[in-house]
Amino acid sequence: MEKHFDPNTIETKWYQTWENKGYFKPKNDDSTPYSIMIPPPNVTGSLHMGHAFQDTIMDTLIRYHRMKGDDTLWQPGTDHAGIATQMVVERQLAAKGLSRHDLGREKFIEKIWEWKEDSGGTITQQLRRMGASPDWTRERFTMDDGLSDAVKEVFVSLYEEDLIYRGKRLVNWDPVLHTAVSDLEVISEEEQGNMWHMSYPLTDGSGALVVATTRPETMLGDQAVAVHPDDERYQHLIGKTITLPLVGRQIPIIADDYVDPEFGTGCVKITPAHDFNDYEMGKRHDLPMLNILTHDACINEEAPEKYQGLDRYEARKLIVADLEALGLMVDIKPHTLMVPRGDRSHAVIEPFLTDQWYVAVEALAKPAIDAVKNGDIEFVPKNWENTYFEWMNNIQDWCISRQIWWGHRIPAWFDDNGKVYVGRNEQEVREKNGFAADYNLRQDDDVLDTWFSSALWTFSTLGWPEKTPELAKFHPTSVLVTGFDIIFFWVARMIMMGLKFTGEVPFKQIYVHGLVRDGEGQKMSKSKGNVLDPIDLIDGIELEDLVKKRTYGMMQPEKAAKIEKSTRKQFADGIPAFGTDAIRFTFASLASTGRDIRFDLQRAEGYRNFCNKLWNATRYVLMNTEGFDTGVDKKADIEFSLADKWIVSRLQNVETEVAKQFDAYRFDLAATALYEFIWNEYCDWYLELAKPILNTDSSDAAKRGTRKTLVSVLETILRMLHPITPFITEEAWQAVSPLAGKHNDTIMLEPYPEADASKIDLDAEAELEWVKKFVIGVRKIRSEMDIAPSKALPVLLAGLNDNDQAWLKNNELYLLSLAKLASIEVLLDEVNAPESAVALVGEMKVLIPMAGLIDKEAEISRLDKEIGKLQGEIKRLGGKLSNQGFVAKAPESVVAIEREKLASYETALKNLEAQYEKIQQL
RNA sequence: ACGACUGUAGCUCAGUUGGUUAGAGCACUACCUUGACAUGGUAGGGGUCGGUGGUUCGAAUCCACUCAGUCGUACCA
């Protein structure tokens, strides 16, 4: 084996072996089913840190349950990402000077499929690099035939139940992408604008009202001015009309208590076709819905000719100028307002009156709320339930139609009279309605929101609406692993659809994890230039390549220089190759309950070192066991040392802890428990304790016992760690497991370690604790007294009780080796002891003679420090125990522990003080 | 405005139902190239747990208020 762990040489080899041998597939036996559906990444996407993190968690869960013997299915796939994918291919066409309209719908869709065949697999290849073990043979895509059938089935049956309807409503219109988007796809952020105060003259010439607006161009569509019914200033005007400037239309002054009399002038202009609040008011007062915009957000022919064809912002300028010229612009004040923008196009979204398809969600929401309330679905951590309930209780009908070409085309047909017929296909519509073959039918041009098909993901991927065996076995799925940012988009909708169409919840638990951010807590984004590519962390990347990658193809090239500078500063030497296992371990250790996960490269480095530690421990074990008798043959004499019993006992402890934390989705705590056991107990102590037995003339039985323990504990460690770090554990296990008498093909399918209470040995733990204390005591003196580590020391012991005597006899070999001692001598007569530095192990004194080694002043100041510490503690405990309230009210066991502590500190203090006196008298 | 979450060592974070001297990793200091590992070893320094008040024998932990930050939702034209 190499001296350093080199992940690169083993990862591809093992991944290919696993995949080719079919280890990722379900066993299809009658063991407990365990299934996870991958949140389908966007087919246009590439793996980012969020995916890498999430997939590490899912893979860890799947590998853990697979090893526990469950019949596991991890279902992979991607979604078709309607708008995003269409934009990618349109951009490619644009480079050739073409638009999708030049190709026509059919040709364009063909192009998209071609693109998908060529480039759609990026993310699934990257997932493989992460070591993910989904059943690739079951990979699905939301546009697959089967999934498309499911989409049609759901659409038709919801329509037949009147849960899908078509209607003319105000929607969020993206004037760049020319499509409606759902309210979730609109991001409103504060931007600087103005508040324009405009004077509207009364038709009868008796005066004017002043209205304020942030969007003066909408005045072209005004249908009323509203005041509060109780507002005394305006009561006499209600029912009169004003004449709309520039337009000349007479519009009424109406009363509505939506108007806040305190705000502004207390008069509001009402534009029902261009504002959501005004739309509601327009419906209440039966106002005309006059649309004054085109699909591009230009002024249409409903407005005065002068403004027709102008872009909305051009029109704004002109209208403001015209009103100023008329003296009707009373005031213009700077104003901060929330501007709605499309999350894909970043264009300002326009409330726009169009025909769209909607899902009536209220009836679907109720059972979905109940499923969480009654515990059929459980959020982990639980507090995300609040977010879910808040959204579900205020849920709005879902606009599902999109005016784009890529996606599931709505299964609805219009006849020449504009009447709509819904069916699974044209044939069905004709048959159901008795239309002759030559009766003219035209399919709706719109496609469905991508999330509509994603909402069916848990069951459509298993073959629904067919009654497949997979559906029966793996649905409901065991857990959904997802980020909190898509609880509304996806999780809630899956619950609604799952309950409606399968009659059962889509998953029993929802593990909601945080979002990966950079070291400063900033969201990673291309435009900020702080993106890390998980593959670069695995393989490493040179500084120049990283700079190139971060500044290439930017939307805002002006930021490139700044990004280059900060990248050069932060990664002066590029990024080293950490390997997949280290990155996975880092993700696991960051998976605590918080919302933000700051990815710290130094932590990845620490866990790379951990992998190297494990590698070298394996190397040591192999060097000492390969070609030797490791006790596989049960007939040979075998003898287990204290260290053997101790490490096996501690192993049971970590096995219990890790299982508990995996089951609670606390991957951070599981990772910590493993890290601490492997490094601080197995490597730091057990391997060191094994050395004196293997390197001296101990009996064959003792050596056999040590070798067997070395191997069996390591083999168990590897299995325990495998779900988090699959590659290094497989590589090491291949070499180690035969020495433990195992001859199987892969660690992946080995049983997950379980604690055996009968192997817990508290006596051995206590005795080894004594050994550790002894060793640490000597090391402390050595270090603080500046004695060379290479110098073997003689020690003298005094004040031994029966335990000390027995344990000393058992463990002399360990003490000599680990504390690097020349000799150990028990003093019968302490009075005649030479001047020494002292360490206390309980009440036993470990004396290191000072002659020639230790300086008097140094020892005095060392003792002084120790005494000071003890005095502080004694004072604190004394105070606590003399508090009547504490003694009377605290549980007896707590009081007893405190008393014991006080007593032992007092003894120690007495001993150290005596020592202090003695040294000082020299 | 409402709601949620966060605030613990220089940095990134743990801290279970209130009960050891509040922990880990990284960083830092000193010593050590010893034979698994310098991607290492040994020892060490560093925190009045955002603040104030309360409940309690006892509070990082429970309660109230407060400050700071993050995110969501709703927003008045």
Side-chain angles (χ1 to χ4, degrees):
Chain A
M1 278 173 90
E2 296 296 321
K3 194 171 168 186
H4 291 280
F5 172 51
D6 178 13
N8 194 26
T9 56
I10 63 165
E11 290 178 1
T12 317
K13 172 183 80 178
W14 284 118
Y15 197 87
Q16 282 172 357
T17 306
W18 296 332
E19 189 176 355
N20 293 341
K21 294 218 167 165
Y23 296 156
F24 300 163
K25 292 186 198 171
K27 298 186 283 186
N28 278 318
D29 59 10
D30 51 9
S31 51
T32 316
Y34 184 88
S35 57
I36 298 179
M37 303 296 165
I38 201 168
N42 183 327
V43 69
T44 63
S46 53
L47 196 79
H48 59 56
M49 293 293 279
H51 295 125
F53 173 62
Q54 186 176 64
D55 293 325
T56 296
I57 286 168
M58 282 185 279
D59 194 50
T60 298
L61 284 169
I62 281 289
R63 285 179 185 272
Y64 172 59
H65 282 272
R66 193 184 284 126
M67 290 177 77
K68 276 182 43 158
D70 294 347
D71 194 7
T72 50
L73 170 64
W74 184 13
Q75 168 77 56
T78 48
D79 80 30
H80 64 277
I83 293 175
T85 311
Q86 180 161 323
M87 282 169 75
V88 167
V89 177
E90 281 188 292
R91 220 173 290 141
Q92 286 187 340
L93 288 178
K96 294 182 209 155
L98 292 170
S99 83
R100 68 185 151 117
H101 299 282
D102 296 327
L103 272 81
R105 185 167 186 147
E106 256 175 61
K107 273 262 154 49
F108 180 69
I109 287 174
E110 266 174 44
K111 272 266 177 277
I112 296 185
W113 278 109
E114 280 170 28
W115 176 88
K116 193 238 167 198
E117 291 315 311
D118 295 344
S119 321
T122 308
I123 198 161
T124 56
Q125 287 310 320
Q126 291 174 317
L127 247 173
R128 288 172 164 90
R129 289 298 318 276
M130 289 302 300
S133 63
D135 182 358
W136 290 113
T137 63
R138 294 192 52 86
E139 187 176 348
R140 295 289 184 271
F141 178 52
T142 44
M143 292 284 283
D144 284 347
D145 290 344
L147 278 72
S148 299
D149 288 345
V151 166
K152 276 180 217 156
E153 189 62 33
V154 165
F155 187 96
V156 171
S157 61
L158 286 176
Y159 179 79
E160 284 169 353
E161 284 188 61
D162 290 329
L163 291 174
I164 279 183
Y165 62 91
R166 184 175 150 86
K168 197 174 206 103
R169 301 276 195 92
L170 264 200
V171 294
N172 298 299
W173 183 262
D174 188 318
V176 169
L177 298 174
H178 290 175
T179 180
V181 292
S182 81
D183 27 1
L184 288 174
E185 293 159 274
V186 179
I187 313 295
S188 288
E189 265 169 7
E190 281 193 350
E191 291 182 24
Q192 284 307 312
N194 289 312
M195 184 76 90
W196 285 271
H197 296 254
M198 313 185 295
S199 177
Y200 281 7
L202 290 162
T203 308
D204 63 14
S206 64
L209 288 177
V210 175
V211 297
T213 181
T214 54
R215 307 191 52 201
E217 68 281 8
T218 61
M219 60 97 54
L220 300 175
D222 282 358
Q223 296 301 331
V225 171
V227 298
H228 194 277
D230 302 333
D231 192 332
E232 287 175 8
R233 293 171 294 176
Y234 304 116
Q235 242 165 13
H236 63 289
L237 298 176
I238 297 168
K240 289 191 171 187
T241 61
I242 61 116
T243 300
L244 195 58
L246 311 180
V247 178
R249 182 162 60 240
Q250 279 188 35
I251 58 175
I253 297 164
I254 60 174
D256 195 298
D257 51 19
Y258 160 79
V259 179
D260 177 2
E262 306 292 317
F263 189 86
T265 58
C267 301
V268 187
K269 64 190 261 321
I270 303 301
T271 325
H274 295 286
D275 180 280
F276 288 100
N277 289 315
D278 293 7
Y279 179 75
E280 291 303 319
M281 201 186 295
K283 281 203 295 191
R284 283 200 291 276
H285 296 271
D286 218 12
L287 300 172
M289 306 275 166
L290 180 70
N291 174 25
I292 53 135
L293 293 178
T294 67
H295 286 167
D296 299 311
C298 293
I299 305 298
N300 71 11
E301 67 286 353
E302 297 288 350
E305 210 179 330
K306 181 175 181 189
Y307 306 109
Q308 287 179 18
L310 291 178
D311 171 80
R312 53 188 160 168
Y313 297 111
E314 292 300 314
R316 176 181 295 180
K317 274 187 217 158
L318 188 55
I319 287 166
V320 168
D322 288 350
L323 286 172
E324 277 175 336
L326 292 170
L328 296 175
M329 190 57 74
V330 180
D331 202 0
I332 304 175
K333 286 184 180 151
H335 180 75
T336 309
L337 70 160
M338 296 296 276
V339 176
R341 289 181 182 272
D343 63 355
R344 293 276 170 203
S345 65
H346 299 110
V348 175
I349 294 296
E350 199 63 55
F352 196 61
L353 204 54
T354 52
D355 280 307
Q356 301 289 343
W357 292 89
Y358 293 88
V359 176
V361 280
E362 208 185 328
L364 298 170
K366 207 187 159 306
I369 292 169
D370 292 342
V372 174
K373 274 200 179 137
N374 67 23
D376 290 348
I377 298 177
E378 189 192 346
F379 277 89
V380 180
K382 199 168 171 60
N383 53 289
W384 287 108
E385 283 181 359
N386 295 334
T387 309
Y388 173 77
F389 288 138
E390 197 179 302
W391 159 257
M392 291 299 276
N393 289 327
N394 299 299
I395 196 162
Q396 303 288 309
D397 282 359
W398 173 16
C399 174
I400 49 171
S401 41
R402 296 290 181 273
Q403 286 66 49
I404 57 174
W405 288 352
W406 175 240
H408 297 102
R409 194 151 171 193
I410 291 177
W413 283 260
F414 295 93
D415 64 14
D416 289 343
N417 304 319
K419 190 157 187 261
V420 68
Y421 305 91
V422 167
R424 286 161 190 81
N425 52 55
E426 189 175 333
Q427 185 67 19
E428 185 184 294
V429 168
R430 284 185 190 280
E431 278 167 18
K432 221 162 48 182
N433 296 283
F435 293 147
D438 61 349
Y439 188 80
N440 232 353
L441 285 177
R442 184 178 54 79
Q443 188 172 3
D444 194 317
D445 283 328
D446 292 354
V447 301
L448 289 165
D449 182 3
T450 307
W451 294 104
F452 189 88
S453 48
S454 303
L456 320 180
W457 186 249
T458 63
F459 52 96
S460 65
T461 49
L462 291 172
W464 186 93
E466 303 297 319
K467 287 198 164 75
T468 63
E470 293 84 5
L471 189 65
K473 179 159 201 174
F474 292 113
H475 202 273
T477 64
S478 306
V479 60
L480 175 73
V481 177
T482 188
F484 60 82
D485 52 330
I486 55 172
I487 288 179
F488 306 147
F489 274 103
W490 192 46
V491 180
R493 288 164 177 174
M494 264 197 293
I495 297 174
M496 292 191 278
M497 292 300 194
L499 286 167
K500 175 76 184 167
F501 289 98
T502 67
E504 52 192 27
V505 295
F507 25 73
K508 295 166 201 152
Q509 291 185 304
I510 305 169
Y511 171 65
V512 181
H513 58 70
L515 262 36
V516 181
R517 297 167 178 282
D518 73 4
E520 271 81 55
Q522 296 286 311
K523 206 168 167 176
M524 289 190 189
S525 77
K526 175 93 185 153
S527 62
K528 284 198 195 111
N530 61 347
V531 174
L532 287 174
D533 182 338
I535 305 300
D536 292 341
L537 299 179
I538 292 172
D539 294 338
I541 185 169
E542 299 287 328
L543 175 63
E544 294 310 319
D545 293 333
L546 184 61
V547 167
K548 235 179 267 168
K549 200 163 166 175
R550 284 187 162 187
T551 53
Y552 176 78
M554 298 200 51
M555 301 274 261
Q556 296 144 292
E558 67 275 11
K559 287 188 177 170
K562 201 178 150 201
I563 287 170
E564 176 167 352
K565 201 176 150 198
S566 70
T567 301
R568 284 186 188 283
K569 192 175 161 206
Q570 206 188 343
F571 302 100
D573 302 314
I575 297 174
F578 294 117
T580 301
D581 289 322
I583 295 306
R584 286 175 59 120
F585 201 96
T586 309
F587 282 132
S589 73
L590 291 171
S592 60
T593 56
R595 290 165 37 109
D596 295 334
I597 294 158
R598 295 197 190 198
F599 193 88
D600 183 0
L601 270 188
Q602 286 182 314
R603 259 182 103 158
E605 195 180 325
Y607 295 124
R608 179 202 57 182
N609 296 351
F610 171 70
C611 289
N612 188 56
K613 188 78 180 173
L614 177 65
W615 182 258
N616 274 290
T618 304
R619 214 155 72 91
Y620 171 78
V621 170
L622 292 174
M623 282 168 60
N624 285 283
T625 54
E626 269 178 323
F628 292 100
D629 182 350
T630 54
V632 174
D633 178 0
K634 298 221 161 59
K635 276 174 276 175
D637 265 2
I638 195 157
E639 188 184 310
F640 292 108
S641 69
L642 171 67
D644 295 335
K645 291 177 205 155
W646 169 76
I647 196 69
V648 168
S649 181
R650 298 301 301 154
L651 178 64
Q652 311 312 310
N653 181 64
V654 70
E655 283 170 348
T656 306
E657 178 71 9
V658 169
K660 177 180 138 195
Q661 300 303 355
F662 274 157
D663 292 341
Y665 299 98
R666 287 302 303 269
F667 304 96
D668 58 330
L669 298 181
T672 305
L674 286 161
Y675 184 98
E676 286 180 350
F677 176 74
I678 293 168
W679 202 310
N680 303 340
E681 301 201 89
Y682 186 72
C683 291
D684 285 351
W685 286 99
Y686 182 68
L687 294 190
E688 295 308 319
L689 291 162
K691 285 174 187 174
I693 293 185
L694 297 177
N695 298 341
T696 60
D697 53 357
S698 313
S699 70
D700 284 353
K703 289 189 177 177
R704 195 174 289 123
T706 293
R707 291 201 178 103
K708 185 180 167 73
T709 309
L710 273 174
V711 165
S712 69
V713 173
L714 178 59
E715 193 271 340
T716 310
I717 283 171
L718 294 172
R719 281 184 288 127
M720 214 173 1
L721 202 51
H722 177 77
I724 302 179
T725 56
F727 294 112
I728 188 174
T729 49
E730 177 75 287
E731 177 75 12
W733 190 83
Q734 294 291 329
V736 169
S737 61
L739 297 164
K742 292 194 170 193
H743 299 279
N744 296 327
D745 293 334
T746 177
I747 190 173
M748 268 188 70
L749 304 177
E750 286 291 302
Y752 199 75
E754 277 179 40
D756 174 353
S758 72
K759 290 182 177 165
I760 293 175
D761 186 340
L762 295 179
D763 293 339
E765 292 197 28
E767 188 171 340
L768 202 108
E769 233 9 81
W770 180 90
V771 172
K772 281 167 78 172
K773 261 201 190 130
F774 193 128
V775 171
I776 288 169
V778 175
R779 282 176 182 169
K780 244 186 184 165
I781 291 175
R782 194 189 276 283
S783 172
E784 285 171 25
M785 295 299 108
D786 241 352
I787 300 169
S790 51
K791 170 85 184 160
L793 299 172
V795 303
L796 308 169
L797 303 180
L800 291 76
N801 61 24
D802 292 350
N803 251 345
D804 295 328
Q805 280 178 7
W807 286 348
L808 174 66
K809 200 167 148 236
N810 293 344
N811 298 299
E812 218 172 338
L813 182 63
Y814 290 146
L815 297 172
L816 290 169
S817 163
L818 270 73
K820 193 135 195 154
L821 302 180
S823 62
I824 303 175
E825 191 185 328
V826 177
L827 284 180
L828 298 174
D829 180 8
E830 197 192 329
V831 185
N832 295 328
E835 299 71 41
S836 304
V838 67
L840 297 172
V841 178
E843 294 187 20
M844 180 177 79
K845 291 177 207 161
V846 180
L847 301 165
I848 297 173
M850 292 169 70
L853 280 174
I854 298 170
D855 168 54
K856 177 184 162 188
E857 293 309 314
E859 177 61 4
I860 283 180
S861 82
R862 193 183 72 88
L863 285 171
D864 216 30
K865 203 172 95 187
E866 292 284 322
I867 287 169
K869 259 192 208 168
L870 282 171
Q871 281 169 336
E873 275 310 294
I874 287 167
K875 196 175 160 202
R876 196 182 61 84
L877 283 171
K880 204 168 176 182
L881 284 164
S882 62
N883 177 347
Q884 284 311 307
F886 175 70
V887 179
K889 294 190 181 169
E892 258 180 62
S893 60
V894 173
V895 178
I897 289 170
E898 300 295 286
R899 286 219 168 96
E900 243 171 71
K901 263 193 298 191
L902 180 61
S904 81
Y905 288 153
E906 278 172 343
T907 312
L909 180 66
K910 211 173 67 202
N911 279 330
L912 290 184
E913 277 173 346
Q915 185 69 15
Y916 186 89
E917 289 298 313
K918 208 169 154 187
I919 305 271
Q920 205 158 39
Q921 279 163 19
L922 289 178

